Amino acid sequence: MNILLTGGAGYIGSHTALVLAQAGHNVVLFDNLSNSDAAVPEKISSMAGKKLPFVQADVRATDLVEKALREHRIDAVVHFAGFKAVGESVAVPIEYYANNIHGTVSLLQAMQRVSVKTLLFSSSATVYGLPQYLPIDEAHPTHAINPYGRTKLHVEEMLGDVARSDAAWRIMCLRYFNPVGAHESGMIGERPNGIPNNLMPFIAQVASGERERLQVFGNDYPTADGTGIRDYIHVMDLAEGHAAAVHYLQSHQGWDVINLGTGQGYSVLDMVRAFEKASGRGIPYVIAARRPGDVPACYANPAKAKRLLGWQATRSLDDMCASTWQFQRNRV
Ligand code: NAD
Ligand code: UFG
């Protein structure tokens, strides 16, 4: 298939591009590089062993999206492009609504014009809000608790309306849990700007000596060791989940949501120990106050993905840490 990846030069997009290209698809990257490196499209091409066309443009430029869809005779779109930092979304919500909501409307308009009606959307476990039960399945009520989460929920609902308006649409919202890790080569990975908000990139920078110590946000949660529990999923497993979903949509119309997680929760201290093992470095840490908005534990019930897509995560926590460390060593 000919597949356009908006945000294809980003963290999850770049790994998915590689997996799709290696599965024989013709992949086109569409990215404005607002949060990615201009070298990434070349790197993916060299890893895939074939040149992936790259369109540097903003998804809100509807005419440019339309042009790319026509020129590359696109059959399906994976929509990664957007902003993703929870704290930043509280500070600059208009930017988040403009990019995440308007960006998706623009994409849908372009797709409508050229009658491309197959779409995968990057959603997030954040749409579940405070877990009411664990593990979280797709029937769990949704309740976004910050502007970022609200943009994801609004887009999911908008996509449901679109699918109901015309039976030709095939739309899948993939709710990612906590993507971590990198391609095993360490050539592509997550490249946070400034001080990382997320645990794994922060730990990697402590291991490499870029940062002095990790702050563990709370050790008084009702969990075995008192620290927060999350469902960390290897980005290559996540990428393969997209390939399975693209395949699924070829024979399924309508709208659906699927969790992409492992079903296994690890605590902050589990992550510290696993990274120490993978890197052979000590990770100094201090216990700090709880971070506002954090939940004690969040992990997926991934049964629907297995049932519908025939996909499940296979890589271990050690794989996640080893590949993160490989990427970290390549970049410093
Ligand atoms: P990322 O920032 O690495 O990738 C997003 C890419 O989109 C970047 O390359 C950026 O330059 C591009 N982009 C942003 N706005 C654009 C626009 N208007 N036009 C064109 N390109 C644009 O982020 P990521 O971690 O790869 O996340 C990809 C998607 O997955 C996002 O929608 C994010 O909300 C979602 N998601 C991420 C996580 C996570 O923890 N990484 C978790 C759940 C969901
Ligand atoms: N943590 C620390 N110290 C840090 C960073 C994080 O102790 O420096 C802890 C957090 O308190 C939490 C765990 O590590 O218990 C994971 O935190 P992350 O920031 O890595 O991930 P979150 O689960 O908070 O959020 C991530 C994304 C969201 C997304 C959510 C669910 O950042 O955008 O996963 O998919 F919505």
Side-chain angles (χ1 to χ4, degrees):
M1 289 175 82
N2 299 332
I3 307 175
L4 183 92
L5 271 53
T6 75
Y11 171 46
I12 304 170
S14 57
H15 292 81
T16 305
L18 181 62
V19 165
L20 291 173
Q22 287 177 335
H25 297 291
N26 298 313
V27 175
V28 178
L29 308 172
F30 187 104
D31 199 301
N32 66 359
L33 301 182
S34 58
N35 193 38
S36 43
D37 190 334
V40 170
E42 272 308 314
K43 281 189 192 167
I44 307 169
S45 296
S46 86
M47 292 166 83
K50 61 181 172 190
K51 177 89 182 148
L52 273 56
F54 170 51
V55 181
Q56 185 176 345
D58 196 298
V59 81
R60 286 165 289 184
T62 314
D63 292 348
L64 296 181
V65 182
E66 181 186 343
K67 184 164 175 273
L69 294 173
R70 278 191 202 286
E71 273 181 16
H72 297 282
R73 308 170 77 85
I74 295 298
D75 303 302
V77 175
V78 189
H79 183 36
F80 297 101
F83 294 147
K84 62 167 181 175
V86 171
E88 190 180 63
S89 79
V90 176
V92 292
I94 299 172
E95 298 296 315
Y96 272 67
Y97 286 108
N99 203 17
N100 295 5
I101 306 250
H102 179 195
T104 308
V105 172
S106 168
L107 171 66
L108 289 168
Q109 287 172 325
M111 291 176 72
Q112 172 108 310
R113 285 185 203 162
V114 296
S115 246
V116 174
K117 295 189 173 171
T118 300
L119 176 65
L120 283 184
F121 171 62
S122 296
S123 189
S124 166
T126 195
V127 300
Y128 295 117
L130 183 65
Q132 294 178 12
Y133 58 84
L134 290 166
I136 299 179
D137 59 20
E138 292 81 356
H140 186 287
T142 52
H143 177 65
I145 51 175
N146 53 60
Y148 167 67
R150 273 187 280 280
T151 67
K152 291 293 174 193
L153 206 46
H154 287 340
V155 169
E156 283 197 1
E157 288 167 350
M158 187 166 80
L159 295 176
D161 289 337
V162 169
R164 280 185 290 277
S165 74
D166 173 356
W169 282 94
R170 298 155 187 264
I171 301 178
M172 178 73 76
C173 300
L174 297 174
R175 293 175 175 165
Y176 312 153
F177 279 69
N178 288 57
V180 296
H183 185 262
E184 61 183 5
S185 66
M187 281 182 69
I188 50 174
E190 188 174 14
R191 190 193 56 91
N193 289 322
I195 302 172
N197 294 309
N198 296 118
L199 180 66
M200 190 67 139
F202 202 107
I203 288 181
Q205 293 188 8
V206 174
S208 72
E210 268 178 88
R211 303 200 182 273
E212 206 176 329
R213 64 174 69 86
L214 172 73
Q215 290 189 69
V216 174
F217 297 141
N219 69 346
D220 55 353
Y221 284 111
T223 61
D225 65 19
T227 66
I229 287 179
R230 296 290 183 276
D231 185 337
Y232 298 94
I233 175 168
H234 196 301
V235 68
M236 291 300 292
D237 278 329
L238 198 64
E240 290 168 5
H242 289 73
V246 165
H247 181 71
Y248 176 85
L249 286 184
Q250 285 180 262
S251 55
H252 293 84
Q253 291 172 315
W255 173 95
D256 211 344
V257 296
I258 291 189
N259 286 342
L260 292 185
T262 67
Q264 166 80 54
Y266 288 106
S267 75
V268 175
L269 295 181
D270 290 334
M271 300 300 285
V272 168
R273 280 189 288 269
F275 209 92
E276 286 183 331
K277 184 174 147 209
S279 64
R281 305 276 180 97
I283 315 281
Y285 67 84
V286 289
I287 304 297
R290 290 182 180 193
R291 185 171 64 177
D294 273 355
V295 301
C298 175
Y299 49 92
N301 178 337
K304 187 172 175 182
K306 187 167 183 199
R307 186 163 45 83
L308 296 191
L309 308 181
W311 167 92
Q312 62 183 335
T314 59
R315 292 167 180 83
S316 68
L317 181 57
D318 287 345
D319 297 331
M320 300 179 211
C321 294
S323 58
T324 303
W325 182 233
Q326 184 63 40
F327 178 68
Q328 176 70 23
R329 283 196 301 179
N330 287 355
R331 62 180 279 276
V332 289

